[in-house]
Amino acid sequence: MDQRQPAGEGERIRRSRSRSAQGLGSAARSFSRSRSRSPVAAREPRDVARRYQLASLLAPTTAELVAEPRPLLTATAEPPPWFLYLPDQADQKYEEASAVAVNACAEDTKGQTCWICFDDGSEEGLVRGCACRGGAGFAHLSCLAKQAKILVAEALENNLFDQANERFNRWDTCGLCEQKYHGVVQHALGWACWKTYVGLPEADRVRVLAMNLLGNGLSAAKQHEDALSVREAEMSMLRRLGDSEGNILIMQGNLASSYRALGRLDEAISMRRDVYSGWLKLEGEESRKTLLAANNYASTLRQLERFKETKVLLRKMMPVARRVLGESHDLMLRMRWIYGKALYKDDAATLDDLREAVTTFEEIERIGRRVFGGAHPLVAGVEGALRQSRATLRGANANERHFPLGTQVS
Ligand SMILES: [Zn+2]
Ligand SMILES: [Zn+2]
């Protein structure tokens, strides 16, 4: 089939199935092929460029992100993780992940119906892992996956590449509340997406996006070793294909998230610094990508207890985020969350710092609860920080009451 003509939905599914049926033999062949020659070499440059328009959508993870331009991964990098080339394994991983997600959502979804097919959860359980509340947003994972698959396929069939970019978001963003899925639901959809597109050629843009989504999903489920493997494989591929500076920065950011999650903070911090300065140079301070990179750089600085640098960076970037994104934006709230932590966790914090931290958390909690609902991880995290900062403030107030006298310096 001519790779420049996007496959029809049925065609793509049939091809995917026939590849699946080849099982391990096919996987082994793909594997050796990918090591012996670049799959891009055989294609026209125009074709490759167009295939990669979609890759600009590569999603950085929100909470964390950033990589050093050292030869992290090159054309001679280690082969990708085993599960990337095994469609059958992807099916099995999806089954496991979806069972975990349905189980985790069981309490929340009891007696509800799917908003896409209107059936209940008696056969296939329901999930909800976005910001929908009340009776909204319950769905079967298979319905969410089918919806995303059809939307992307329709756009590709009509050569609407920009729309396909946008529609691919349906794999990780709820169609009702327009917020990203999180946790185990995001993880299950990562596998659903990957198993849908794993049979496409390696350089196919949809497959590249699917790999990105899988990495983010694994990360959301705290499977950080696997997330790192997927992201290293993806970075290796992007470098081999000569992808854009922006996509390399996004990938470096996602790799840094994995390093951070695995406690490899030295690698994480230098990557995050480079990604932040990279975006600043490429798109300026008002770009969302720059703001996200600043947030993630600050987050790792804070984790390394480099409080002063954290505060300086956030004092510079929070007003920009407020202007560009608004007070209720997820990223704005996250920046303030990090700033609050840098205030109260610092041993040198003054009473004013502690009061400011408590006020900051109270505000974020209120806004977060309104925008995302009480079950959202951001709200739960801020509640914990609020409790701790209040306790620290109480302790500091008590100390001040008990030891108000000046001490003579001798
Ligand atoms: Zn359904
Ligand atoms: Zn929703």
Side-chain angles (χ1 to χ4, degrees):
M1 190 182 64
D2 183 353
Q3 296 301 331
R4 279 175 291 173
Q5 294 301 320
E9 179 62 7
E11 206 174 349
R12 191 173 15 246
I13 292 166
R14 276 198 298 282
R15 182 177 52 188
S16 178
R17 280 193 187 137
S18 75
R19 282 179 177 237
S20 294
Q22 290 167 23
L24 293 181
S26 160
R29 279 194 297 281
S30 301
F31 189 75
S32 61
R33 229 182 8 247
S34 75
R35 300 181 78 185
S36 59
R37 69 177 177 88
S38 161
V40 178
R43 297 205 174 95
E44 294 172 36
R46 193 160 61 92
D47 180 27
V48 173
R50 207 172 68 172
R51 296 194 150 266
Y52 272 77
Q53 284 170 0
L54 255 189
S56 63
L57 175 116
L58 292 181
T61 52
T62 310
E64 333 280 349
L65 289 197
V66 191
E68 194 167 315
R70 64 204 158 81
L72 247 191
L73 298 147
T74 64
T76 56
E78 286 298 302
W82 60 272
F83 53 78
L84 283 181
Y85 280 132
L86 304 176
D88 294 344
Q89 292 292 337
D91 284 345
Q92 194 189 326
K93 289 275 189 184
Y94 168 69
E95 294 303 328
E96 290 166 12
S98 84
V100 170
V102 165
N103 199 32
C105 298
E107 192 61 35
D108 190 31
T109 59
K110 208 184 282 175
Q112 302 290 346
T113 51
C114 173
W115 70 269
I116 299 171
C117 73
F118 306 114
D119 273 351
D120 62 17
S122 55
E123 273 187 37
E124 179 194 340
L126 298 166
V127 298
R128 183 166 73 168
C130 49
C132 282
R133 272 157 297 168
F138 301 103
H140 299 110
L141 277 165
S142 63
C143 288
L144 294 173
K146 202 167 158 188
Q147 184 192 51
K149 191 164 88 172
I150 290 170
L151 282 171
V152 172
E154 274 175 2
L156 290 177
E157 274 167 24
N158 295 308
N159 291 336
L160 301 170
F161 296 109
D162 287 344
Q163 275 196 25
N165 254 341
E166 232 178 271
R167 288 173 174 208
F168 196 87
N169 287 337
R170 197 50 70 231
W171 281 106
D172 68 0
T173 306
C174 171
L176 292 176
C177 66
E178 291 298 333
Q179 299 292 337
K180 299 258 183 201
Y181 299 112
H182 52 77
V184 289
V185 173
Q186 185 186 352
H187 177 229
L189 282 169
W191 280 112
C193 179
W194 180 245
K195 90 187 184 81
T196 302
Y197 303 118
V198 62
L200 295 175
E202 188 199 32
D204 191 290
R205 57 196 168 187
V206 175
R207 192 179 186 276
V208 172
L209 292 176
M211 191 188 283
N212 186 254
L213 201 97
L214 176 62
N216 292 348
L218 287 163
S219 178
K222 302 195 189 316
Q223 297 184 20
H224 299 301
E225 291 283 359
D226 283 350
L228 180 61
S229 295
V230 170
R231 287 169 171 173
E232 284 178 339
E234 190 182 352
M235 177 64 104
S236 171
M237 193 170 63
L238 295 188
R239 287 201 191 283
R240 199 165 58 236
L241 298 174
D243 212 314
S244 67
E245 194 181 343
N247 272 346
I248 298 288
L249 284 172
I250 289 172
M251 246 354 273
Q252 286 177 320
N254 288 348
L255 274 169
S257 291
S258 291
Y259 285 134
R260 178 184 165 167
L262 291 165
R264 292 163 64 172
L265 295 183
D266 289 345
E267 288 154 287
I269 194 72
S270 67
M271 281 185 177
R272 287 189 187 284
R273 188 195 52 231
D274 291 347
V275 172
Y276 169 58
S277 57
W279 281 121
L280 206 51
K281 229 179 289 167
L282 206 60
E283 297 203 355
E285 68 172 13
E286 293 199 345
S287 159
R288 287 176 185 230
K289 290 163 186 157
T290 309
L291 291 169
L292 182 55
N295 173 81
N296 295 335
Y297 182 30
S299 173
T300 309
L301 282 171
R302 206 280 308 155
Q303 193 178 8
L304 286 164
E305 303 193 344
R306 288 161 61 174
F307 299 120
K308 204 171 160 189
E309 291 164 86
T310 311
K311 286 183 272 189
V312 168
L313 174 62
L314 288 173
R315 279 185 195 128
K316 177 177 169 223
M317 297 308 285
M318 283 193 303
V320 183
R322 190 169 278 122
R323 192 169 69 238
V324 175
L325 305 171
E327 198 65 64
S328 304
H329 193 279
D330 174 79
L331 191 52
M332 182 70 225
L333 298 179
R334 286 179 189 279
M335 281 187 173
R336 295 187 69 195
W337 184 8
I338 299 165
Y339 185 71
K341 281 195 201 169
L343 283 172
Y344 91 88
K345 283 188 182 271
D346 190 344
D347 287 341
T350 64
L351 273 176
D352 280 346
D353 288 339
L354 296 177
R355 285 187 198 110
E356 188 182 349
V358 169
T359 310
T360 300
F361 293 137
E362 284 170 349
E363 286 174 14
I364 307 173
E365 202 254 358
R366 196 174 57 245
I367 299 170
R369 195 171 277 281
R370 174 169 56 78
V371 179
F372 303 111
H376 196 278
L378 184 142
V379 176
V382 172
E383 278 171 351
L386 180 56
R387 273 194 303 275
Q388 284 178 18
S389 60
R390 277 178 177 154
T392 309
L393 179 60
R394 269 197 304 275
N397 275 327
N399 278 343
E400 196 179 53
R401 275 201 300 278
H402 294 152
F403 305 103
L405 303 176
T407 306
Q408 183 189 342
V409 179
S410 54

